[in-house]
Amino acid sequence: MNSLQMNTLSMNAKPMDSLQINIALNEMTPEQVYDDIEAFFIVNNIDSQQRFKLMLCILESVNNVVQHCSEDAEIVTVMLQNHQDNIVIDILDNTKYVKLSAPKKCPEITQTNGRGLWIMEQWMDQIEKQATVLGTHLRLSMQKQPA
């Protein structure tokens, strides 16, 4: 089934309250993750601009684990929750928690890191990051646009 068929089918599907994807970093492709999350957003009538922002922040978060913690990371769990007023995204991994702060202004193109954190800080309504017994938990939240 191609992406267009999946999107067409998804629009006729019943909304889901939540979705959990366990990403084995050495096995799953970004396309598989993208397709499942995109279908969840479409089924829940999330407008295209919000879908873009949410998807970019999710992919950036997972990429940060791969890029900065690849020696420790095994599985990243992405959980999406569709509430009446907002979308909540929990991203959990088994890496050691590192406290990071988003830059106050967008890093220059010559800097190798920081832009993803800055974008998340600009686009998300709420960001929480904390250590867990098993690793790191990142929670992103965005208010839904009125229909």
Side-chain angles (χ1 to χ4, degrees):
M1 178 182 316
N2 67 35
S3 178
L4 180 60
Q5 290 171 320
M6 177 174 249
N7 287 343
T8 303
L9 290 173
S10 298
M11 291 168 81
N12 297 322
K14 180 182 174 199
M16 303 181 294
D17 290 336
S18 63
L19 173 69
Q20 178 174 325
I21 301 173
N22 297 314
I23 305 167
L25 296 179
N26 59 350
E27 296 173 16
M28 193 167 222
T29 66
E31 293 81 14
Q32 291 171 305
V33 175
Y34 179 91
D35 289 345
D36 290 346
I37 294 171
E38 179 75 1
F40 176 83
F41 289 147
I42 289 171
V43 166
N44 287 293
N45 300 312
I46 305 302
D47 74 66
S48 62
Q49 183 177 3
Q50 283 197 303
R51 282 198 318 263
F52 172 79
K53 289 178 176 182
L54 290 162
M55 185 65 72
L56 185 93
C57 290
I58 293 168
L59 294 175
E60 178 62 29
S61 299
V62 173
N63 183 62
N64 281 347
V65 173
V66 172
Q67 185 177 11
H68 301 293
C69 308
S70 61
E71 66 281 349
D72 298 325
E74 296 169 6
I75 293 179
V76 175
T77 299
V78 178
M79 296 183 293
L80 300 125
Q81 299 171 49
N82 177 43
H83 298 286
Q84 184 174 348
D85 297 329
N86 67 352
I87 296 286
V88 176
I89 302 159
D90 291 297
I91 301 169
L92 300 108
D93 63 68
N94 65 308
T95 64
K96 182 179 177 191
Y97 173 78
V98 176
K99 185 174 181 168
L100 294 173
S101 304
K104 300 295 181 203
K105 64 179 191 164
C106 185
E108 297 294 324
I109 193 83
T110 56
Q111 289 184 278
T112 58
N113 56 33
R115 278 181 299 286
L117 289 173
W118 183 83
I119 289 169
M120 282 189 258
E121 193 69 36
Q122 302 307 304
W123 286 351
M124 293 293 117
D125 293 315
Q126 188 174 23
I127 299 174
E128 299 172 31
K129 189 172 181 184
Q130 64 183 9
T132 68
V133 174
L134 300 176
T136 300
H137 176 197
L138 174 67
R139 174 169 276 185
L140 308 171
S141 178
M142 180 185 279
Q143 293 295 313
K144 289 182 186 178
Q145 294 295 325

